[in-house]
Amino acid sequence: MTGRAAAIRLLMIEDDRALAEMVATYLDKAGMTLDHRESAEAGLAAALRGGYDAVVLDLMLPDGDGLTVCREIRARSDVPILMLTARGEEADRIVGLEIGADDYLPKPFNPRELLARLRAILRRRASESPASPEEMLRFGRLVIDRAARRALVDGEERALTGHQFDLLCVLAESAGRVLSREQLMDRVRGEALEAFDRSIDVHVSRIRAAIEDDPKNPRRIVTLRGAGYLFVRRQDEAS
């Protein structure tokens, strides 16, 4: 487009057409284009075709469960996902974060807050250049590529949300030191949102599931009761 940066492309899976049209009009003013699908089936198909910078996903859809859609997207794509939930559905929000959503926003919401949360998610995902050696953290079989925002175990990429990758980096950069929950939240707070603050233990559990051989008996990220979390580096590992 002449005189204007290329628009950020979003997908909204939401059965309320009037709400989607209102959001599309608001986001267009911020340089974002919004594609809309009204059903779980159509939304999942569109998300898996790719080409979107983020997905806004309602949990209540006429033909399926938004949590299932979230799980299916995350299994095959690392596109950022922002869930829309009804107020009071705390259990659904926690489950959504556990299965890979990056953030949630309760309904009804102000489109200005939706825009702010989307921008925060997109900033976390932004990567400007290939990784240089100092941008790679290596711990035996685990490699953390900070520039590309990827975590690999034995060369295989492990799926993490933006919040979870940021938290893993903070822990790994402080390998060998105990960090309290407050310290972790403070270090990630630059881009973190309320959902992350209330769910740090959920995110740590998700990271363990991604990188640990036995998540129920973690050896890489351990909990020190009453103190916080410790990222363990063995003597034979280089950072």
Side-chain angles (χ1 to χ4, degrees):
M1 290 180 286
T2 304
R4 185 177 178 182
I8 293 170
R9 190 177 177 211
L10 307 172
L11 171 67
M12 187 173 193
I13 307 174
E14 163 64 63
D15 64 326
D16 186 334
R17 185 176 301 179
L19 174 62
E21 290 175 353
M22 181 271 290
V23 169
T25 299
Y26 187 87
L27 294 182
D28 180 68
K29 298 174 183 177
M32 299 182 180
T33 62
L34 187 75
D35 287 348
H36 174 221
R37 300 293 185 275
E38 296 185 18
S39 68
E41 181 179 5
L44 178 60
L48 295 182
R49 281 196 295 270
Y52 294 104
D53 296 288
V55 174
V56 180
L57 170 63
D58 187 20
L59 291 192
M60 300 297 293
L61 295 166
D63 63 333
D65 179 4
L67 291 174
T68 300
V69 175
C70 179
R71 185 180 292 107
E72 290 290 331
I73 294 174
R74 184 55 69 235
R76 287 177 271 180
S77 171
D78 65 350
V79 64
I81 300 172
L82 188 152
M83 300 184 307
L84 301 178
T85 71
R87 290 193 183 277
E89 295 180 345
E90 187 67 25
D92 282 345
R93 297 170 194 168
I94 295 299
V95 171
L97 293 171
E98 287 180 326
I99 63 177
D102 292 81
D103 193 14
Y104 71 82
L105 183 61
K107 288 182 173 180
F109 58 85
N110 186 314
R112 182 177 179 181
E113 182 177 5
L114 173 65
L115 175 60
R117 288 174 180 258
L118 286 168
R119 282 175 168 167
I121 289 174
L122 294 170
R123 283 197 300 268
R124 287 195 297 273
R125 289 297 182 95
S127 129
E128 298 179 353
S129 61
S132 59
E134 62 270 19
E135 291 172 324
M136 305 286 284
L137 298 175
R138 301 179 184 276
F139 302 92
R141 298 161 53 213
L142 171 66
V143 176
I144 303 170
D145 184 341
R146 285 179 285 194
R149 299 184 63 79
R150 299 195 308 159
L152 304 97
V153 177
D154 291 333
E156 178 183 346
E157 184 172 358
R158 300 301 172 90
L160 294 172
T161 69
H163 285 311
Q164 292 154 11
F165 184 84
D166 291 339
L167 179 55
L168 175 60
C169 285
V170 169
L171 286 164
E173 289 162 3
S174 300
R177 294 167 48 202
V178 179
L179 295 178
S180 68
R181 293 178 79 257
E182 291 73 20
Q183 287 175 312
L184 289 171
M185 287 189 288
D186 183 65
R187 295 192 186 190
V188 186
R189 195 177 296 278
E191 299 297 345
L193 299 171
E194 183 182 1
F196 177 79
D197 293 346
R198 295 208 306 268
S199 309
I200 191 166
D201 298 327
V202 171
H203 286 295
V204 170
S205 176
R206 178 71 178 181
I207 294 169
R208 285 171 170 159
I211 70 170
E212 298 272 9
D213 291 332
D214 183 359
K216 293 183 179 180
N217 297 286
R219 302 184 65 183
R220 180 62 72 186
I221 301 175
V222 300
T223 302
L224 299 182
R225 192 175 300 277
Y229 293 103
L230 171 68
F231 188 97
V232 177
R233 175 163 53 200
R234 295 188 293 272
Q235 291 184 351
D236 61 338
E237 295 176 345
S239 61

